[in-house]
Short mmCIF file of all heavy atoms in Angstrom, two decimals:
data_model
loop_
_atom_site.label_atom_id
_atom_site.label_comp_id
_atom_site.label_asym_id
_atom_site.label_seq_id
_atom_site.Cartn_x
_atom_site.Cartn_y
_atom_site.Cartn_z
N MET A 24 76.86 93.10 -24.71
CA MET A 24 77.00 93.54 -26.09
C MET A 24 76.69 95.03 -26.14
O MET A 24 75.81 95.51 -25.45
CB MET A 24 76.04 92.73 -26.96
CG MET A 24 75.92 93.20 -28.38
SD MET A 24 74.77 92.19 -29.31
CE MET A 24 75.83 91.74 -30.64
N HIS A 25 77.41 95.76 -26.98
CA HIS A 25 77.19 97.19 -27.14
C HIS A 25 76.23 97.45 -28.30
O HIS A 25 76.16 96.66 -29.25
CB HIS A 25 78.50 97.91 -27.42
CG HIS A 25 79.48 97.78 -26.31
ND1 HIS A 25 79.33 98.42 -25.11
CD2 HIS A 25 80.63 97.07 -26.21
CE1 HIS A 25 80.34 98.12 -24.33
NE2 HIS A 25 81.14 97.28 -24.97
N LEU A 26 75.53 98.56 -28.25
CA LEU A 26 74.60 98.92 -29.31
C LEU A 26 75.31 99.05 -30.65
O LEU A 26 74.75 98.72 -31.69
CB LEU A 26 73.87 100.22 -28.96
CG LEU A 26 72.82 100.71 -29.95
CD1 LEU A 26 71.74 99.66 -30.15
CD2 LEU A 26 72.20 102.01 -29.48
N ALA A 27 76.55 99.49 -30.65
CA ALA A 27 77.31 99.64 -31.89
C ALA A 27 77.57 98.30 -32.57
O ALA A 27 77.85 98.26 -33.77
CB ALA A 27 78.63 100.35 -31.62
N ASP A 28 77.47 97.19 -31.84
CA ASP A 28 77.73 95.85 -32.39
C ASP A 28 76.49 95.16 -32.93
O ASP A 28 76.60 94.08 -33.51
CB ASP A 28 78.36 94.97 -31.32
CG ASP A 28 79.68 95.53 -30.81
OD1 ASP A 28 80.38 96.19 -31.60
OD2 ASP A 28 79.99 95.31 -29.62
N VAL A 29 75.32 95.74 -32.75
CA VAL A 29 74.08 95.11 -33.19
C VAL A 29 74.00 95.19 -34.72
O VAL A 29 74.20 96.26 -35.30
CB VAL A 29 72.86 95.81 -32.55
CG1 VAL A 29 71.55 95.25 -33.08
CG2 VAL A 29 72.91 95.67 -31.04
N PRO A 30 73.69 94.07 -35.38
CA PRO A 30 73.58 94.08 -36.85
C PRO A 30 72.41 94.93 -37.33
O PRO A 30 71.44 95.16 -36.59
CB PRO A 30 73.36 92.61 -37.21
CG PRO A 30 73.69 91.83 -35.99
CD PRO A 30 73.53 92.74 -34.83
N ILE A 31 72.48 95.33 -38.58
CA ILE A 31 71.41 96.12 -39.19
C ILE A 31 70.12 95.31 -39.23
O ILE A 31 70.13 94.11 -39.47
CB ILE A 31 71.81 96.56 -40.61
CG1 ILE A 31 73.00 97.52 -40.54
CG2 ILE A 31 70.64 97.22 -41.34
CD1 ILE A 31 73.59 97.87 -41.87
N ASP A 32 69.01 95.99 -38.97
CA ASP A 32 67.66 95.43 -38.98
C ASP A 32 67.42 94.41 -37.87
O ASP A 32 66.55 93.56 -37.98
CB ASP A 32 67.32 94.82 -40.34
CG ASP A 32 65.82 94.89 -40.62
OD1 ASP A 32 65.17 95.80 -40.10
OD2 ASP A 32 65.33 94.02 -41.34
N ARG A 33 68.19 94.48 -36.79
CA ARG A 33 67.97 93.64 -35.61
C ARG A 33 67.52 94.53 -34.47
O ARG A 33 67.88 95.70 -34.39
CB ARG A 33 69.26 92.93 -35.20
CG ARG A 33 69.72 91.82 -36.10
CD ARG A 33 68.84 90.56 -36.07
NE ARG A 33 68.59 90.02 -34.75
CZ ARG A 33 69.31 89.06 -34.18
NH1 ARG A 33 70.33 88.54 -34.79
NH2 ARG A 33 68.97 88.62 -32.98
N SER A 34 66.78 93.96 -33.57
CA SER A 34 66.29 94.68 -32.40
C SER A 34 67.05 94.24 -31.15
O SER A 34 67.51 93.11 -31.07
CB SER A 34 64.80 94.44 -32.19
OG SER A 34 64.07 94.99 -33.25
N ALA A 35 67.16 95.17 -30.23
CA ALA A 35 67.84 94.89 -28.96
C ALA A 35 67.14 95.68 -27.86
O ALA A 35 66.47 96.67 -28.12
CB ALA A 35 69.30 95.29 -29.05
N ARG A 36 67.30 95.20 -26.64
CA ARG A 36 66.73 95.88 -25.47
C ARG A 36 67.86 96.53 -24.69
O ARG A 36 68.87 95.90 -24.39
CB ARG A 36 66.00 94.85 -24.59
CG ARG A 36 65.35 95.49 -23.38
CD ARG A 36 64.38 94.55 -22.70
NE ARG A 36 63.20 94.39 -23.55
CZ ARG A 36 62.84 93.25 -24.14
NH1 ARG A 36 63.54 92.16 -23.98
NH2 ARG A 36 61.76 93.18 -24.89
N LEU A 37 67.69 97.81 -24.37
CA LEU A 37 68.71 98.53 -23.61
C LEU A 37 68.79 97.99 -22.18
O LEU A 37 67.76 97.81 -21.53
CB LEU A 37 68.39 100.02 -23.56
CG LEU A 37 68.62 100.79 -24.84
CD1 LEU A 37 68.08 102.21 -24.71
CD2 LEU A 37 70.07 100.82 -25.19
N VAL A 38 70.00 97.76 -21.73
CA VAL A 38 70.22 97.24 -20.39
C VAL A 38 70.88 98.30 -19.52
O VAL A 38 70.40 98.59 -18.42
CB VAL A 38 71.08 95.96 -20.43
CG1 VAL A 38 71.34 95.45 -19.03
CG2 VAL A 38 70.42 94.90 -21.28
N VAL A 39 71.97 98.90 -20.00
CA VAL A 39 72.74 99.87 -19.21
C VAL A 39 73.08 101.08 -20.06
O VAL A 39 73.53 100.95 -21.20
CB VAL A 39 74.05 99.24 -18.69
CG1 VAL A 39 74.89 100.26 -17.96
CG2 VAL A 39 73.76 98.06 -17.80
N LEU A 40 72.86 102.26 -19.50
CA LEU A 40 73.32 103.51 -20.11
C LEU A 40 74.53 103.98 -19.32
O LEU A 40 74.41 104.31 -18.15
CB LEU A 40 72.24 104.59 -20.04
CG LEU A 40 70.91 104.31 -20.72
CD1 LEU A 40 69.93 105.44 -20.43
CD2 LEU A 40 71.09 104.16 -22.19
N ALA A 41 75.68 103.98 -19.94
CA ALA A 41 76.90 104.43 -19.26
C ALA A 41 77.26 105.83 -19.74
O ALA A 41 76.73 106.31 -20.73
CB ALA A 41 78.04 103.46 -19.54
N GLY A 42 78.16 106.47 -19.04
CA GLY A 42 78.58 107.83 -19.40
C GLY A 42 78.23 108.81 -18.31
O GLY A 42 77.66 108.45 -17.28
N ASP A 43 78.57 110.06 -18.57
CA ASP A 43 78.30 111.07 -17.55
C ASP A 43 76.80 111.39 -17.49
O ASP A 43 76.02 110.98 -18.34
CB ASP A 43 79.14 112.32 -17.78
CG ASP A 43 78.84 113.00 -19.11
OD1 ASP A 43 77.88 112.62 -19.79
OD2 ASP A 43 79.58 113.93 -19.45
N ARG A 44 76.43 112.11 -16.47
CA ARG A 44 75.02 112.38 -16.19
C ARG A 44 74.33 113.13 -17.33
O ARG A 44 73.21 112.80 -17.71
CB ARG A 44 74.91 113.17 -14.89
CG ARG A 44 73.51 113.41 -14.47
CD ARG A 44 73.46 114.11 -13.14
NE ARG A 44 72.08 114.30 -12.75
CZ ARG A 44 71.70 115.06 -11.77
NH1 ARG A 44 72.59 115.67 -11.03
NH2 ARG A 44 70.43 115.19 -11.48
N ALA A 45 74.98 114.13 -17.90
CA ALA A 45 74.38 114.92 -18.98
C ALA A 45 74.13 114.04 -20.22
O ALA A 45 73.09 114.17 -20.88
CB ALA A 45 75.28 116.09 -19.33
N PHE A 46 75.05 113.16 -20.52
CA PHE A 46 74.90 112.26 -21.66
C PHE A 46 73.72 111.32 -21.45
O PHE A 46 72.87 111.16 -22.34
CB PHE A 46 76.20 111.45 -21.86
CG PHE A 46 76.11 110.39 -22.90
CD1 PHE A 46 76.04 110.72 -24.25
CD2 PHE A 46 76.08 109.05 -22.54
CE1 PHE A 46 75.95 109.73 -25.22
CE2 PHE A 46 76.00 108.07 -23.51
CZ PHE A 46 75.93 108.41 -24.84
N ARG A 47 73.63 110.71 -20.28
CA ARG A 47 72.52 109.79 -19.99
C ARG A 47 71.18 110.52 -20.02
O ARG A 47 70.20 110.01 -20.54
CB ARG A 47 72.72 109.13 -18.62
CG ARG A 47 73.87 108.16 -18.59
CD ARG A 47 73.89 107.33 -17.31
NE ARG A 47 73.56 108.06 -16.11
CZ ARG A 47 74.45 108.56 -15.25
NH1 ARG A 47 75.74 108.38 -15.46
NH2 ARG A 47 74.07 109.21 -14.18
N ARG A 48 71.16 111.73 -19.52
CA ARG A 48 69.92 112.50 -19.50
C ARG A 48 69.46 112.82 -20.92
O ARG A 48 68.28 112.72 -21.24
CB ARG A 48 70.13 113.78 -18.71
CG ARG A 48 68.88 114.59 -18.57
CD ARG A 48 69.10 115.78 -17.70
NE ARG A 48 67.82 116.39 -17.40
CZ ARG A 48 67.66 117.36 -16.57
NH1 ARG A 48 68.68 117.84 -15.90
NH2 ARG A 48 66.48 117.87 -16.36
N ARG A 49 70.40 113.18 -21.79
CA ARG A 49 70.05 113.49 -23.18
C ARG A 49 69.47 112.27 -23.87
O ARG A 49 68.47 112.35 -24.59
CB ARG A 49 71.27 113.99 -23.94
CG ARG A 49 70.94 114.49 -25.33
CD ARG A 49 72.19 114.88 -26.05
NE ARG A 49 72.93 113.65 -26.33
CZ ARG A 49 73.34 113.28 -27.54
NH1 ARG A 49 73.12 114.04 -28.56
NH2 ARG A 49 73.97 112.17 -27.73
N LEU A 50 70.07 111.10 -23.63
CA LEU A 50 69.55 109.87 -24.23
C LEU A 50 68.15 109.54 -23.72
O LEU A 50 67.29 109.13 -24.49
CB LEU A 50 70.50 108.70 -23.95
CG LEU A 50 71.86 108.77 -24.63
CD1 LEU A 50 72.69 107.57 -24.23
CD2 LEU A 50 71.74 108.86 -26.13
N MET A 51 67.93 109.72 -22.43
CA MET A 51 66.62 109.45 -21.87
C MET A 51 65.57 110.39 -22.43
O MET A 51 64.42 109.99 -22.65
CB MET A 51 66.67 109.54 -20.34
CG MET A 51 67.39 108.37 -19.73
SD MET A 51 67.21 108.40 -17.95
CE MET A 51 68.90 108.20 -17.46
N GLU A 52 65.94 111.64 -22.70
CA GLU A 52 65.00 112.58 -23.31
C GLU A 52 64.62 112.16 -24.72
O GLU A 52 63.54 112.49 -25.21
CB GLU A 52 65.60 113.99 -23.33
CG GLU A 52 65.69 114.61 -21.96
CD GLU A 52 66.47 115.90 -21.93
OE1 GLU A 52 67.13 116.24 -22.94
OE2 GLU A 52 66.44 116.57 -20.89
N LEU A 53 65.52 111.42 -25.39
CA LEU A 53 65.24 110.91 -26.74
C LEU A 53 64.46 109.61 -26.72
O LEU A 53 64.10 109.07 -27.76
CB LEU A 53 66.56 110.70 -27.50
CG LEU A 53 67.34 111.96 -27.85
CD1 LEU A 53 68.70 111.60 -28.40
CD2 LEU A 53 66.56 112.80 -28.85
N GLY A 54 64.20 109.05 -25.54
CA GLY A 54 63.44 107.81 -25.42
C GLY A 54 64.29 106.58 -25.21
O GLY A 54 63.78 105.47 -25.18
N LEU A 55 65.59 106.75 -25.08
CA LEU A 55 66.49 105.62 -24.85
C LEU A 55 66.59 105.36 -23.35
O LEU A 55 67.50 105.82 -22.68
CB LEU A 55 67.88 105.90 -25.44
CG LEU A 55 67.92 105.98 -26.96
CD1 LEU A 55 69.24 106.56 -27.43
CD2 LEU A 55 67.70 104.62 -27.56
N LEU A 56 65.63 104.62 -22.84
CA LEU A 56 65.56 104.29 -21.42
C LEU A 56 65.90 102.82 -21.22
O LEU A 56 65.68 102.00 -22.12
CB LEU A 56 64.14 104.54 -20.90
CG LEU A 56 63.62 105.96 -21.03
CD1 LEU A 56 62.13 106.00 -20.80
CD2 LEU A 56 64.34 106.85 -20.04
N PRO A 57 66.43 102.45 -20.07
CA PRO A 57 66.66 101.02 -19.80
C PRO A 57 65.36 100.24 -19.98
O PRO A 57 64.31 100.65 -19.50
CB PRO A 57 67.14 101.00 -18.35
CG PRO A 57 67.75 102.35 -18.15
CD PRO A 57 66.91 103.29 -18.97
N GLY A 58 65.43 99.15 -20.72
CA GLY A 58 64.25 98.34 -21.01
C GLY A 58 63.59 98.66 -22.34
O GLY A 58 62.77 97.89 -22.82
N ALA A 59 63.96 99.79 -22.95
CA ALA A 59 63.37 100.18 -24.23
C ALA A 59 63.93 99.30 -25.36
O ALA A 59 65.09 98.92 -25.35
CB ALA A 59 63.66 101.64 -24.53
N GLU A 60 63.07 99.00 -26.32
CA GLU A 60 63.50 98.22 -27.48
C GLU A 60 63.97 99.17 -28.58
O GLU A 60 63.30 100.15 -28.90
CB GLU A 60 62.36 97.34 -27.98
CG GLU A 60 62.81 96.29 -28.94
CD GLU A 60 61.73 95.28 -29.22
OE1 GLU A 60 61.12 94.78 -28.26
OE2 GLU A 60 61.51 94.99 -30.40
N VAL A 61 65.12 98.85 -29.15
CA VAL A 61 65.76 99.69 -30.17
C VAL A 61 66.04 98.82 -31.38
O VAL A 61 66.49 97.69 -31.25
CB VAL A 61 67.10 100.26 -29.63
CG1 VAL A 61 67.79 101.08 -30.68
CG2 VAL A 61 66.86 101.08 -28.38
N ARG A 62 65.78 99.35 -32.58
CA ARG A 62 66.11 98.64 -33.81
C ARG A 62 67.12 99.45 -34.59
O ARG A 62 66.95 100.65 -34.78
CB ARG A 62 64.87 98.42 -34.66
CG ARG A 62 65.12 97.57 -35.91
CD ARG A 62 63.84 97.24 -36.63
NE ARG A 62 63.24 98.39 -37.27
CZ ARG A 62 63.48 98.74 -38.54
NH1 ARG A 62 64.28 98.05 -39.29
NH2 ARG A 62 62.88 99.81 -39.03
N VAL A 63 68.19 98.80 -35.04
CA VAL A 63 69.20 99.47 -35.86
C VAL A 63 68.69 99.46 -37.29
O VAL A 63 68.50 98.40 -37.89
CB VAL A 63 70.57 98.76 -35.76
CG1 VAL A 63 71.57 99.42 -36.67
CG2 VAL A 63 71.07 98.75 -34.33
N VAL A 64 68.43 100.65 -37.84
CA VAL A 64 67.87 100.79 -39.18
C VAL A 64 68.99 100.74 -40.23
O VAL A 64 68.90 100.02 -41.21
CB VAL A 64 67.06 102.09 -39.31
CG1 VAL A 64 66.53 102.27 -40.72
CG2 VAL A 64 65.92 102.09 -38.30
N ARG A 65 70.03 101.54 -40.02
CA ARG A 65 71.16 101.55 -40.96
C ARG A 65 72.37 102.22 -40.33
O ARG A 65 72.28 102.85 -39.30
CB ARG A 65 70.80 102.20 -42.27
CG ARG A 65 70.55 103.68 -42.17
CD ARG A 65 70.24 104.28 -43.51
NE ARG A 65 69.10 105.18 -43.33
CZ ARG A 65 68.46 105.74 -44.30
NH1 ARG A 65 68.80 105.50 -45.52
NH2 ARG A 65 67.46 106.54 -44.06
N ARG A 66 73.50 102.03 -40.99
CA ARG A 66 74.77 102.65 -40.59
C ARG A 66 75.22 103.58 -41.71
O ARG A 66 74.98 103.29 -42.88
CB ARG A 66 75.85 101.60 -40.38
CG ARG A 66 75.56 100.64 -39.28
CD ARG A 66 76.69 99.63 -39.14
NE ARG A 66 76.30 98.53 -38.28
CZ ARG A 66 76.33 98.59 -36.95
NH1 ARG A 66 76.75 99.66 -36.35
NH2 ARG A 66 75.94 97.56 -36.23
N ALA A 67 75.92 104.63 -41.34
CA ALA A 67 76.49 105.53 -42.34
C ALA A 67 77.58 104.79 -43.10
O ALA A 67 78.19 103.84 -42.59
CB ALA A 67 77.06 106.77 -41.67
N ALA A 68 77.84 105.21 -44.31
CA ALA A 68 78.81 104.53 -45.18
C ALA A 68 80.19 104.42 -44.53
O ALA A 68 80.86 103.41 -44.68
CB ALA A 68 78.91 105.27 -46.50
N LEU A 69 80.62 105.42 -43.81
CA LEU A 69 81.93 105.39 -43.17
C LEU A 69 81.88 104.87 -41.75
O LEU A 69 82.88 104.84 -41.05
CB LEU A 69 82.57 106.78 -43.21
CG LEU A 69 82.81 107.34 -44.61
CD1 LEU A 69 83.35 108.76 -44.53
CD2 LEU A 69 83.76 106.45 -45.38
N GLY A 70 80.71 104.47 -41.28
CA GLY A 70 80.57 103.85 -39.97
C GLY A 70 80.56 104.79 -38.80
O GLY A 70 80.69 104.36 -37.67
N GLY A 71 80.36 106.07 -39.01
CA GLY A 71 80.40 107.02 -37.91
C GLY A 71 79.07 107.25 -37.22
O GLY A 71 79.03 107.75 -36.11
N VAL A 72 77.95 106.88 -37.88
CA VAL A 72 76.63 107.20 -37.33
C VAL A 72 75.70 105.99 -37.52
O VAL A 72 75.75 105.31 -38.54
CB VAL A 72 76.03 108.42 -38.05
CG1 VAL A 72 74.64 108.74 -37.53
CG2 VAL A 72 76.93 109.62 -37.90
N LEU A 73 74.86 105.76 -36.51
CA LEU A 73 73.82 104.74 -36.57
C LEU A 73 72.46 105.42 -36.63
O LEU A 73 72.23 106.41 -35.93
CB LEU A 73 73.83 103.86 -35.33
CG LEU A 73 75.04 103.01 -35.04
CD1 LEU A 73 74.89 102.40 -33.66
CD2 LEU A 73 75.19 101.94 -36.08
N GLU A 74 71.56 104.89 -37.44
CA GLU A 74 70.18 105.36 -37.42
C GLU A 74 69.38 104.32 -36.66
O GLU A 74 69.43 103.12 -36.97
CB GLU A 74 69.62 105.53 -38.82
CG GLU A 74 68.22 106.09 -38.82
CD GLU A 74 67.66 106.31 -40.22
OE1 GLU A 74 68.45 106.32 -41.18
OE2 GLU A 74 66.44 106.46 -40.33
N LEU A 75 68.67 104.76 -35.63
CA LEU A 75 67.93 103.86 -34.75
C LEU A 75 66.45 104.18 -34.79
O LEU A 75 66.04 105.32 -35.02
CB LEU A 75 68.41 104.03 -33.30
CG LEU A 75 69.91 103.92 -33.05
CD1 LEU A 75 70.20 104.33 -31.62
CD2 LEU A 75 70.39 102.52 -33.33
N GLU A 76 65.64 103.16 -34.53
CA GLU A 76 64.20 103.35 -34.37
C GLU A 76 63.85 103.01 -32.93
O GLU A 76 64.12 101.89 -32.47
CB GLU A 76 63.43 102.46 -35.33
CG GLU A 76 61.95 102.73 -35.31
CD GLU A 76 61.23 101.93 -36.38
OE1 GLU A 76 60.90 100.76 -36.09
OE2 GLU A 76 61.04 102.46 -37.48
N VAL A 77 63.32 104.00 -32.22
CA VAL A 77 62.95 103.85 -30.82
C VAL A 77 61.55 104.41 -30.65
O VAL A 77 61.30 105.57 -30.96
CB VAL A 77 63.91 104.64 -29.89
CG1 VAL A 77 63.54 104.45 -28.44
CG2 VAL A 77 65.34 104.24 -30.15
N ARG A 78 60.63 103.55 -30.22
CA ARG A 78 59.25 103.99 -29.97
C ARG A 78 58.67 104.74 -31.16
O ARG A 78 58.16 105.86 -31.03
CB ARG A 78 59.17 104.84 -28.72
CG ARG A 78 59.60 104.08 -27.50
CD ARG A 78 59.51 104.91 -26.26
NE ARG A 78 60.02 104.11 -25.15
CZ ARG A 78 59.94 104.48 -23.91
NH1 ARG A 78 59.40 105.63 -23.60
NH2 ARG A 78 60.42 103.72 -22.97
N CYS A 79 58.78 104.17 -32.34
CA CYS A 79 58.22 104.70 -33.59
C CYS A 79 58.87 106.02 -34.04
O CYS A 79 58.31 106.73 -34.87
CB CYS A 79 56.71 104.88 -33.49
SG CYS A 79 55.85 103.34 -33.17
N CYS A 80 60.01 106.37 -33.50
CA CYS A 80 60.76 107.55 -33.92
C CYS A 80 62.14 107.11 -34.38
O CYS A 80 62.68 106.13 -33.88
CB CYS A 80 60.92 108.54 -32.77
SG CYS A 80 59.36 109.21 -32.21
N ARG A 81 62.70 107.84 -35.31
CA ARG A 81 64.06 107.54 -35.78
C ARG A 81 65.01 108.61 -35.28
O ARG A 81 64.72 109.80 -35.41
CB ARG A 81 64.10 107.46 -37.29
CG ARG A 81 63.35 106.24 -37.78
CD ARG A 81 63.73 105.88 -39.15
NE ARG A 81 63.05 104.64 -39.51
CZ ARG A 81 63.19 104.06 -40.67
NH1 ARG A 81 63.99 104.57 -41.57
NH2 ARG A 81 62.55 102.95 -40.93
N ILE A 82 66.12 108.16 -34.72
CA ILE A 82 67.14 109.08 -34.25
C ILE A 82 68.50 108.60 -34.75
O ILE A 82 68.66 107.44 -35.11
CB ILE A 82 67.15 109.19 -32.71
CG1 ILE A 82 67.48 107.83 -32.07
CG2 ILE A 82 65.85 109.73 -32.19
CD1 ILE A 82 67.72 107.93 -30.59
N SER A 83 69.45 109.51 -34.80
CA SER A 83 70.82 109.17 -35.18
C SER A 83 71.71 109.30 -33.96
O SER A 83 71.53 110.19 -33.14
CB SER A 83 71.31 110.12 -36.27
OG SER A 83 70.56 109.92 -37.45
N LEU A 84 72.67 108.40 -33.88
CA LEU A 84 73.57 108.35 -32.74
C LEU A 84 74.97 108.03 -33.25
O LEU A 84 75.13 107.17 -34.10
CB LEU A 84 73.09 107.27 -31.77
CG LEU A 84 73.67 107.23 -30.38
CD1 LEU A 84 73.27 108.47 -29.59
CD2 LEU A 84 73.19 105.99 -29.65
N ARG A 85 75.96 108.74 -32.74
CA ARG A 85 77.34 108.46 -33.12
C ARG A 85 77.75 107.08 -32.62
O ARG A 85 77.31 106.65 -31.56
CB ARG A 85 78.28 109.50 -32.51
CG ARG A 85 78.11 110.88 -33.05
CD ARG A 85 79.13 111.82 -32.39
NE ARG A 85 78.80 113.18 -32.66
CZ ARG A 85 78.24 114.01 -31.80
NH1 ARG A 85 78.00 113.62 -30.57
NH2 ARG A 85 77.96 115.24 -32.14
N THR A 86 78.61 106.43 -33.38
CA THR A 86 79.11 105.12 -32.96
C THR A 86 79.87 105.23 -31.65
O THR A 86 79.78 104.34 -30.80
CB THR A 86 80.02 104.52 -34.06
OG1 THR A 86 79.27 104.47 -35.28
CG2 THR A 86 80.47 103.12 -33.70
N SER A 87 80.59 106.33 -31.46
CA SER A 87 81.34 106.52 -30.21
C SER A 87 80.40 106.62 -29.01
O SER A 87 80.77 106.30 -27.89
CB SER A 87 82.22 107.76 -30.30
OG SER A 87 81.44 108.92 -30.51
N GLU A 88 79.17 107.06 -29.23
CA GLU A 88 78.18 107.11 -28.16
C GLU A 88 77.48 105.76 -27.99
O GLU A 88 77.15 105.36 -26.88
CB GLU A 88 77.14 108.19 -28.45
CG GLU A 88 77.72 109.58 -28.47
CD GLU A 88 76.74 110.63 -28.95
OE1 GLU A 88 75.79 110.29 -29.69
OE2 GLU A 88 76.94 111.80 -28.61
N ALA A 89 77.29 105.06 -29.10
CA ALA A 89 76.59 103.77 -29.07
C ALA A 89 77.38 102.70 -28.31
O ALA A 89 76.78 101.78 -27.77
CB ALA A 89 76.30 103.30 -30.49
N VAL A 90 78.70 102.84 -28.24
CA VAL A 90 79.48 101.84 -27.50
C VAL A 90 79.30 101.99 -25.99
O VAL A 90 79.66 101.10 -25.23
CB VAL A 90 80.99 101.88 -27.86
CG1 VAL A 90 81.21 101.53 -29.30
CG2 VAL A 90 81.59 103.21 -27.52
N ARG A 91 78.71 103.07 -25.55
CA ARG A 91 78.44 103.27 -24.12
C ARG A 91 77.14 102.63 -23.67
O ARG A 91 76.82 102.63 -22.48
CB ARG A 91 78.39 104.76 -23.79
CG ARG A 91 79.66 105.50 -24.05
CD ARG A 91 79.50 106.92 -23.63
NE ARG A 91 80.56 107.74 -24.17
CZ ARG A 91 80.57 109.05 -24.12
NH1 ARG A 91 79.57 109.69 -23.54
NH2 ARG A 91 81.56 109.73 -24.62
N LEU A 92 76.35 102.11 -24.63
CA LEU A 92 75.06 101.54 -24.31
C LEU A 92 75.13 100.02 -24.41
O LEU A 92 75.43 99.47 -25.47
CB LEU A 92 74.00 102.05 -25.29
CG LEU A 92 73.90 103.57 -25.42
CD1 LEU A 92 72.86 103.94 -26.43
CD2 LEU A 92 73.61 104.22 -24.09
N GLU A 93 74.85 99.34 -23.33
CA GLU A 93 74.84 97.88 -23.31
C GLU A 93 73.43 97.40 -23.61
O GLU A 93 72.46 97.92 -23.07
CB GLU A 93 75.32 97.35 -21.97
CG GLU A 93 76.78 97.60 -21.72
CD GLU A 93 77.24 96.97 -20.43
OE1 GLU A 93 76.68 95.94 -20.01
OE2 GLU A 93 78.18 97.53 -19.83
N VAL A 94 73.35 96.41 -24.48
CA VAL A 94 72.05 95.88 -24.91
C VAL A 94 72.07 94.35 -24.90
O VAL A 94 73.13 93.73 -24.82
CB VAL A 94 71.68 96.37 -26.33
CG1 VAL A 94 71.53 97.87 -26.38
CG2 VAL A 94 72.71 95.90 -27.36
N GLU A 95 70.89 93.78 -25.02
CA GLU A 95 70.75 92.34 -25.23
C GLU A 95 69.84 92.16 -26.44
O GLU A 95 68.85 92.89 -26.59
CB GLU A 95 70.20 91.63 -24.00
CG GLU A 95 68.86 92.14 -23.54
CD GLU A 95 68.39 91.52 -22.25
OE1 GLU A 95 69.20 90.95 -21.51
OE2 GLU A 95 67.18 91.63 -21.97
N LEU A 96 70.17 91.24 -27.32
CA LEU A 96 69.36 91.01 -28.52
C LEU A 96 68.00 90.46 -28.14
O LEU A 96 67.87 89.67 -27.21
CB LEU A 96 70.07 90.05 -29.48
CG LEU A 96 71.34 90.59 -30.14
CD1 LEU A 96 71.96 89.51 -31.00
CD2 LEU A 96 71.05 91.83 -30.96
N VAL A 97 66.99 90.87 -28.90
CA VAL A 97 65.62 90.41 -28.66
C VAL A 97 65.32 89.25 -29.58
O VAL A 97 65.70 89.22 -30.71
CB VAL A 97 64.61 91.55 -28.92
CG1 VAL A 97 63.20 91.07 -28.73
CG2 VAL A 97 64.90 92.70 -27.99
#
């Protein structure tokens, strides 16, 4: 399952970070590491951006980037 498919207010555990090296590194700097628990807080009205809660911090991620992250529901 991709992170972009997780329903609002549900938690998931990151399994795989796909994409090029610079993209994966940027996500890891934000705290999105394999095994980390992520909660989808909300989606933008037009569906272009997700607001996520990771380790007590909130970050925004484009939907096009979220489809590169494989997760499993918690």
Side-chain angles (χ1 to χ4, degrees):
M24 172 180 235
H25 298 288
L26 182 58
D28 300 329
V29 175
I31 294 173
D32 209 28
R33 288 290 307 266
S34 294
R36 182 167 289 114
L37 287 173
V38 178
V39 176
L40 300 175
D43 62 9
R44 184 176 181 191
F46 173 72
R47 291 191 320 262
R48 184 176 190 173
R49 187 184 69 125
L50 292 178
M51 287 188 230
E52 289 171 350
L53 292 171
L55 293 168
L56 300 166
E60 193 169 312
V61 178
R62 185 173 70 92
V63 177
V64 177
R65 68 178 135 189
R66 297 180 192 279
L69 299 176
V72 178
L73 297 172
E74 183 178 344
L75 308 171
E76 186 174 85
V77 181
R78 298 181 183 188
C79 299
C80 296
R81 291 199 176 180
I82 62 171
S83 295
L84 193 65
R85 293 182 193 104
T86 304
S87 61
E88 296 171 336
V90 297
R91 298 182 195 170
L92 307 178
E93 291 184 30
V94 297
E95 58 186 18
L96 292 177
V97 177

